[in-house]
């Protein structure tokens, strides 16, 4: 696999955090440190990656689209790998931002699970870049989701588990519920739908997706049955 693309989500040998972990941290901390020129370069790269794909886009193409010199692009992103990572990380940060926004108005933990599940599928599938790459260049994205030794799934599971722990502290989920296990099961269900779309469930129908969550995911939050 192209080394530029194999690092979309997984971490490299010289990095201690995955791309998703950094995107999650930035979403929680509301971090946004890009100067105007860097923002233009990122937006130009996003548009080209979306229209042409990552493989076919060169750093020269990005410079031309952004209206800056090639040297300016390389001063901010020393390699194409670094530029790709920043663009993808920005999109995953938007995913985390949207997830937190979508569940804000939900009244119950069950509603938050339903809305969060639908939000997650919609955010990835309808994202012009991530969703488009999963259709146009699945050999680049899907291995990062399922073939990285579980690191990507673990990162998203940690995010979900952190939300469920908040529910436990608020008294909305029983303390004997294993939120780490529940979070992983929820993420595995979501990932399976993203990687292998269903012929029975219309994933673009939010109400249908929410019904699936209500029937199969919400019951996971019930206390374990006594032995």
């Amino acid at each position: 696999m192209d080394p530029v693309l194999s690092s979309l989500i997984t971490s490299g040998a010289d990095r201690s955090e995955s791309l998703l972990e950094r995107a999650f941290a930035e979403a929680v901390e509301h971090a946004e440190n890009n100067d105007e020129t860097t923002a233009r370069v990122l937006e130009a790269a996003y548009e080209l990656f979306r229209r042409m794909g990552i493989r076919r886009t060169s750093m020269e193409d990005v410079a031309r689209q952004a209206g800056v010199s090639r040297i300016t692009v390389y001063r901010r992103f020393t390699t194409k790998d670094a530029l790709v990572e920043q663009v993808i990380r920005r999109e995953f940060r938007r995913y985390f931002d949207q997830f937190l926004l979508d569940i804000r108005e939900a009244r119950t933990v069950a509603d938050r699970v339903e809305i969060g599940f639908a939000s997650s599928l919609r955010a990835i599938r309808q994202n012009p870049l991530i969703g488009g790459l999963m259709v146009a260049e699945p050999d680049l994205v899907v291995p990062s989701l399922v073939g990285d030794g579980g690191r990507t799934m673990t990162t998203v599971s940690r995010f979900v588990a952190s939300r469920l722990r908040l529910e436990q502290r608020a008294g909305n989920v029983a303390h004997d519920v294993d939120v780490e296990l529940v979070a992983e099961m929820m993420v595995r269900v979501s990932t399976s739908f993203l990687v292998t779309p269903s012929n029975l469930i219309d994933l673009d129908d939010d109400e249908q997706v929410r019904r699936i969550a209500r029937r199969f995911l919400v019951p996971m939050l019930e206390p374990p049955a006594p032995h």
Side-chain angles (χ1 to χ4, degrees):
M1 183 185 295
D2 187 329
V4 171
L5 302 162
S6 65
S7 63
L8 287 181
I9 301 176
T10 59
S11 65
D14 60 338
R15 286 175 291 183
S16 61
E17 290 182 300
S18 73
L19 189 155
L20 267 174
E21 287 170 322
R22 292 194 295 280
F24 176 37
E26 289 169 358
V28 172
E29 296 166 7
H30 305 287
E32 187 66 78
N33 299 314
N34 295 328
D35 60 66
E36 182 179 348
T37 301
T38 299
R40 284 170 59 191
V41 171
L42 288 172
E43 189 59 33
Y46 166 83
E47 288 297 331
L48 290 172
F49 293 164
R50 181 178 62 83
R51 295 201 320 258
M52 299 170 54
I54 293 174
R55 283 197 180 107
R56 295 175 56 198
T57 300
S58 68
M59 294 291 267
E60 290 77 8
D61 293 331
V62 173
R64 189 161 44 249
Q65 176 78 10
V68 300
S69 70
R70 181 172 172 270
I71 293 175
T72 297
V73 174
Y74 275 106
R75 280 175 179 164
R76 284 163 170 78
F77 306 98
T78 55
T79 64
K80 185 178 177 182
D81 301 60
L83 176 59
V84 170
E85 177 176 314
Q86 286 286 342
V87 172
I88 300 297
R89 191 165 86 196
R90 186 181 71 160
E91 293 310 296
F92 276 112
R93 183 194 161 185
R94 288 175 174 174
Y95 154 69
F96 286 125
D97 284 340
Q98 188 61 51
F99 179 93
L100 295 173
L101 181 64
D102 286 346
I103 67 172
R104 183 178 299 170
E105 301 302 321
R107 295 183 178 181
T108 67
V109 62
D111 286 343
R112 283 186 282 277
V113 169
E114 292 177 27
I115 294 171
F117 181 61
S119 171
S120 296
L121 295 182
R122 182 175 63 250
I124 299 298
R125 284 170 50 79
Q126 295 184 4
N127 181 282
L129 179 59
I130 306 298
L133 286 174
M134 290 188 72
V135 173
E137 299 178 286
D139 57 315
L140 308 179
V141 180
V142 171
S144 293
L145 291 175
V146 299
D148 63 347
R151 183 159 187 169
T152 294
M153 194 171 295
T154 296
T155 300
V156 181
S157 296
R158 284 174 52 197
F159 170 68
V160 176
S162 71
R163 307 308 303 176
L164 295 179
R165 277 193 293 272
L166 290 176
E167 300 286 358
Q168 276 188 324
R169 294 185 192 119
N172 300 324
V173 173
H175 287 289
D176 52 352
V177 170
D178 185 341
V179 294
E180 281 76 17
L181 178 58
V182 170
E184 177 165 330
M185 294 301 296
M186 289 180 173
V187 171
R188 286 184 178 276
V189 171
S190 299
T191 302
S192 70
F193 278 121
L194 290 171
V195 173
T196 311
S198 172
N199 290 322
L200 295 176
I201 302 164
D202 181 359
L203 299 181
D204 294 319
D205 183 338
D206 267 14
E207 183 51 43
Q208 192 173 155
V209 172
R210 287 189 61 173
R211 284 200 300 269
I212 295 298
R214 190 178 312 137
R215 180 176 177 183
F216 297 103
L217 302 188
V218 172
M220 293 184 190
L221 298 177
E222 297 175 359
H227 294 294

